[in-house]
Amino acid sequence: MKKNSPTIRDVAAAAGVSVATVSKYINGAQRFSAPVEAKLKVAIEALGYRSNPLARSMITGRTRTIGLTILDISNPHFTNVVKGANRVALRHDYTLLLVDTDENQARERPLIEALAQRVDGLIVSSRMPDEETHWMLDLNKPLVLLRRSETLPIPSVGIDNRLTTYMLARHLLNLGHRQIAYLGFGQAPRINDERIRGARECLEEAGLTLDVYDAHAPTSHAGEHACSRVMLGPRRPQAVICYNDLIALGFMKEAASLGLKLPQDVSVTGIDNVPYGEFASPALTTVDIQSEKMGELAMQKLIDALAGHPDTEHSMFEPRLIVRESTAACG
Amino acid sequence: MKKNSPTIRDVAAAAGVSVATVSKYINGAQRFSAPVEAKLKVAIEALGYRSNPLARSMITGRTRTIGLTILDISNPHFTNVVKGANRVALRHDYTLLLVDTDENQARERPLIEALAQRVDGLIVSSRMPDEETHWMLDLNKPLVLLRRSETLPIPSVGIDNRLTTYMLARHLLNLGHRQIAYLGFGQAPRINDERIRGARECLEEAGLTLDVYDAHAPTSHAGEHACSRVMLGPRRPQAVICYNDLIALGFMKEAASLGLKLPQDVSVTGIDNVPYGEFASPALTTVDIQSEKMGELAMQKLIDALAGHPDTEHSMFEPRLIVRESTAACG
DNA sequence: GTGAAAGCGCTAACAT
DNA sequence: ATGTTAGCGCTTTCAC
């Protein structure tokens, strides 16, 4: 168990050539004479030489690493984003430096700034309001945001949030519901506001209003907690549109234990189409927001930018309504 | 948007001191005279200097990065492992370099070898049989395995697999079941074999035998696929122990669409206690294997090793039976 | 307490 | 096709 691995100089010595030759050989930069190539092969094999990526990065300025910050890896939406991003990264010989900020806003900036120094580019999912995001431009690294920035010229991928809830509201309207509530997550203001707006617009077209509640967290636990407040309050809804699937799942579980029959007593919808909505009881009606594709595209954009083909646009995926059993005609 | 950031030399010049002094100041290596400290502070602030971690790593030999390879981030078990590992890493100012090998065995070795060069230590989850794992010792990096190695002196964390299925079998026996099947995942031989053994031992004590099936993948999709083979074959079981929760969830869904009543017609159990088992219908009886704690402990062991306190033991978490509604007395 | 100088392992001109 | 050399930005003796 010797501690120090051989360097390029050891190889050069062993093969009787110069370090430059070894370097070029390793990087496949050109062709070599048969004898040199043979000696190189032998020496490298014998020494078990592997080039030091740190030293290389110091010079080339590239690490073949992409930084990815997400809010919570436990949320299947982000899990899928990571999955997609990882797949594309691996295909292009990049590795992911992952930071899970754990829904902790205060942490985001220092973590991202530290991360930026160790990677070639970043994919960032943040809860920071646009106004406080200018410093990201000073990172001097290619960046892709996982939601549009209204004010900054940073490429991004996302979903049409307004449309997700518009579609859900329309769906519920079609089923005959009139009393519709939205159970949101106010700490994600931009997304949440857009979603409220979508539902509200749809309902207003029908002359109805939207009751808005807040779950305080994007988790199933928060959904459970909020359920009695929504369902046993003074304005009991016939249908509830939840900020995401996790909240919806928790909501449904708690509703059942409150003695409510689903979906007869209340229709429930989520957003995200996490893989487990279909195993719930009743299976969850939701909107697919293409999480994995978002991860893939974000990574692809970044890699394109790194290759000199930047893309400053915001790419918007189209939401798709997935109707299952948690929504039914209003009794 | 200037491209090149200031170096330690720029700071030294601006502050009128030597680079060595700047270096020491940044690393808080010693105390300084008031005037020097003041000038340093000003210069660093004015230039917006941030030390280059790559250059530092080249010298110190440490990157403050931990490599983590997992088989599939989509599997909530691994998601939780990552969550736990990330939490401990962040606390100690380490970052995760994540590699999702996507259940692709051929990829594992090259990916891990490449990863090893860029990190201070690794946490590895692999499907490789023990015999083919010797090369990991040549990585010359602290290592923690996410399952015990029988032959290699590498620290590890894991679960008592035998006990998980023993407990489940006992539970089913207590409910009066006699025809019990195991729906496994043969590509994870070590884990799978131990789980078969646990169930078998328990049944043999009761004079019964275990029917073994294979799902070919650790996913809900595979569970769905396998269901009809198990339930409509010649030896229809009264209860099925699945390799993990995902397989169980898929199995239950398909069973329902085959017209079976759960749990009356068949009791089903999983292993892992993924967060969504409790939302399934019926809620899934399972065994908690403490995935997040595994991630935490693995990271803690690694960080301890990096700090000079290695720990060569295998740490085994205790499985805990979680009884919900997917198992019931044999009708 | 502060500074000069020697590299870490490698790549990138620029010779030859 | 191969070699020489000058660093990348930083830490680390070892003087002063």
Side-chain angles (χ1 to χ4, degrees):
Chain A
M1 186 108 104
K2 54 151 67 136
K3 277 281 123 187
N4 35 4
S5 30
T7 78
I8 199 172
R9 251 180 279 271
D10 298 326
V11 176
V17 300
S18 75
V19 291
T21 304
V22 181
S23 173
K24 285 165 193 156
Y25 177 75
I26 292 167
N27 297 311
Q30 50 172 67
R31 321 179 31 141
F32 299 85
S33 67
V36 168
E37 180 155 358
K39 283 192 293 183
L40 246 17
K41 208 170 250 163
V42 171
I44 288 173
E45 176 66 26
L47 294 170
Y49 170 76
R50 321 216 71 209
S51 93
N52 178 336
L54 249 56
R56 170 196 258 115
S57 294
M58 263 256 290
I59 305 212
T60 61
R62 19 210 27 282
T63 60
R64 297 222 74 96
T65 300
I66 302 294
L68 174 56
T69 67
I70 56 173
L71 301 163
D72 179 11
I73 187 68
S74 305
N75 185 326
H77 163 62
F78 290 112
T79 304
N80 283 332
V81 171
V82 172
K83 188 82 187 172
N86 179 72
R87 176 177 306 130
V88 174
L90 235 51
R91 190 183 301 150
H92 294 266
D93 205 26
Y94 277 93
T95 311
L96 281 189
L97 206 40
L98 182 77
V99 171
D100 180 337
T101 55
D102 232 340
E103 293 278 356
N104 181 339
Q105 264 213 41
R107 251 180 184 157
E108 288 183 5
R109 182 165 175 177
L111 282 175
I112 293 173
E113 287 181 331
L115 187 61
Q117 300 194 87
R118 336 183 77 253
V119 300
D120 292 346
L122 297 100
I123 298 175
V124 172
S125 172
S126 162
R127 293 241 185 277
M128 291 203 170
D130 244 38
E131 316 83 71
E132 299 173 21
T133 312
H134 293 279
W135 54 270
M136 285 194 192
L137 294 173
D138 300 332
L139 258 24
N140 277 329
K141 298 271 176 170
L143 207 62
V144 175
L145 254 33
L146 285 178
R147 58 113 162 137
R148 158 181 249 141
S149 170
E150 308 285 341
T151 57
L152 271 38
I154 302 178
S156 55
V157 314
I159 188 87
D160 186 340
N161 281 303
R162 218 197 91 275
L163 188 50
T164 57
T165 44
Y166 190 97
M167 287 165 54
L168 287 167
R170 164 70 58 217
H171 167 63
L172 292 169
L173 247 26
N174 290 348
L175 288 172
H177 297 282
R178 290 297 170 266
Q179 287 262 35
I180 299 178
Y182 172 75
L183 177 54
F185 173 50
Q187 268 120 301
R190 224 161 324 85
I191 298 174
N192 199 48
D193 292 351
E194 287 175 21
R195 291 186 181 176
I196 290 176
R197 193 149 57 82
R200 199 164 259 159
E201 280 178 21
C202 183
L203 293 191
E204 280 170 0
E205 291 171 13
L208 300 170
T209 58
L210 181 74
D211 287 337
V212 174
Y213 298 84
D214 200 283
H216 306 307
T219 63
S220 58
H221 189 80
E224 282 182 47
H225 191 83
C227 182
S228 53
R229 184 156 39 92
V230 175
M231 295 305 295
L232 305 182
R235 299 180 52 82
R236 171 170 159 179
Q238 299 162 327
V240 180
I241 297 174
C242 298
Y243 172 80
N244 70 12
D245 286 355
L246 296 187
I247 291 176
L249 255 13
F251 186 95
M252 290 203 299
K253 184 183 169 214
E254 178 70 5
S257 67
L258 290 178
L260 297 172
K261 298 270 168 280
L262 298 169
Q264 299 90 323
D265 291 340
V266 60
S267 283
V268 177
T269 81
I271 295 176
D272 279 357
N273 192 25
V274 304
Y276 311 102
E278 60 175 316
F279 302 118
S281 158
L284 184 63
T285 291
T286 186
V287 174
D288 189 326
I289 64 168
Q290 316 245 59
S291 317
E292 197 164 331
K293 285 240 165 53
M294 279 178 56
E296 288 181 2
L297 184 60
M299 183 57 75
Q300 191 61 59
K301 281 192 173 207
L302 198 51
I303 289 177
D304 286 348
L306 255 14
H309 311 295
D311 166 2
T312 316
E313 285 177 25
H314 175 68
S315 300
M316 197 124 95
F317 280 101
E318 289 194 359
R320 193 162 82 87
L321 182 67
I322 311 278
V323 176
R324 291 198 278 246
E325 286 96 52
S326 69
T327 49
C330 189
Chain B
M1 186 106 98
K2 53 150 69 135
K3 277 278 123 189
N4 36 2
S5 31
T7 77
I8 197 172
R9 248 181 282 270
D10 299 327
V11 176
V17 299
S18 75
V19 292
T21 302
V22 182
S23 172
K24 283 164 192 157
Y25 177 76
I26 292 167
N27 297 310
Q30 50 173 66
R31 319 178 36 139
F32 300 86
S33 65
V36 168
E37 181 155 355
K39 283 191 292 183
L40 247 16
K41 211 169 250 160
V42 170
I44 288 174
E45 177 66 27
L47 294 170
Y49 172 75
R50 322 217 72 208
S51 96
N52 178 334
L54 247 56
R56 170 194 260 117
S57 293
M58 260 255 294
I59 302 206
T60 62
R62 19 209 29 282
T63 59
R64 297 221 74 96
T65 299
I66 302 293
L68 175 56
T69 67
I70 56 173
L71 301 163
D72 178 11
I73 188 69
S74 305
N75 185 326
H77 162 62
F78 289 112
T79 304
N80 283 332
V81 170
V82 172
K83 187 83 187 169
N86 179 72
R87 176 176 306 130
V88 173
L90 234 52
R91 189 184 302 150
H92 294 266
D93 206 25
Y94 278 92
T95 311
L96 281 190
L97 207 41
L98 182 76
V99 171
D100 180 337
T101 55
D102 234 340
E103 293 277 357
N104 181 339
Q105 265 213 43
R107 250 178 184 158
E108 287 183 6
R109 180 165 175 176
L111 281 175
I112 293 173
E113 287 182 331
L115 187 61
Q117 297 189 266
R118 337 184 75 252
V119 300
D120 293 346
L122 298 99
I123 299 175
V124 172
S125 172
S126 161
R127 293 241 184 276
M128 290 202 172
D130 244 39
E131 315 84 70
E132 300 173 21
T133 312
H134 292 279
W135 55 269
M136 286 194 191
L137 295 174
D138 300 332
L139 257 26
N140 277 329
K141 298 270 175 170
L143 208 61
V144 175
L145 254 33
L146 285 178
R147 56 118 159 133
R148 158 181 248 139
S149 170
E150 308 285 342
T151 57
L152 271 38
I154 302 179
S156 53
V157 315
I159 188 84
D160 186 339
N161 281 302
R162 220 196 91 273
L163 188 49
T164 58
T165 43
Y166 189 98
M167 286 165 53
L168 287 168
R170 165 68 61 214
H171 167 63
L172 293 169
L173 248 24
N174 290 347
L175 289 172
H177 296 282
R178 291 295 171 264
Q179 287 262 37
I180 299 178
Y182 172 76
L183 177 53
F185 173 49
Q187 268 119 303
R190 223 159 327 87
I191 299 174
N192 199 48
D193 291 352
E194 285 174 22
R195 291 186 179 174
I196 290 175
R197 194 148 57 83
R200 200 164 258 160
E201 279 178 21
C202 183
L203 294 191
E204 279 170 0
E205 290 172 13
L208 300 171
T209 59
L210 180 75
D211 286 338
V212 174
Y213 298 85
D214 199 285
H216 306 306
T219 64
S220 59
H221 189 80
E224 283 181 47
H225 190 84
C227 182
S228 54
R229 184 155 39 90
V230 175
M231 293 306 295
L232 305 182
R235 299 180 53 82
R236 171 169 160 181
Q238 299 163 327
V240 180
I241 298 173
C242 298
Y243 173 80
N244 70 10
D245 285 356
L246 296 187
I247 291 176
L249 253 16
F251 186 95
M252 289 203 300
K253 184 183 170 214
E254 178 70 5
S257 67
L258 290 178
L260 297 171
K261 298 268 168 283
L262 298 170
Q264 299 90 322
D265 291 341
V266 59
S267 284
V268 178
T269 82
I271 293 175
D272 279 356
N273 192 27
V274 305
Y276 311 101
E278 59 175 316
F279 302 117
S281 159
L284 184 62
T285 293
T286 186
V287 174
D288 189 326
I289 64 168
Q290 317 245 59
S291 316
E292 196 163 331
K293 286 242 165 52
M294 278 179 56
E296 288 182 2
L297 183 59
M299 183 58 75
Q300 192 60 60
K301 282 192 171 206
L302 198 50
I303 289 176
D304 287 348
L306 255 13
H309 310 295
D311 167 1
T312 317
E313 282 177 27
H314 175 68
S315 301
M316 197 123 96
F317 281 101
E318 289 194 0
R320 193 162 81 88
L321 182 66
I322 312 277
V323 176
R324 291 196 278 244
E325 287 97 54
S326 69
T327 48
C330 188

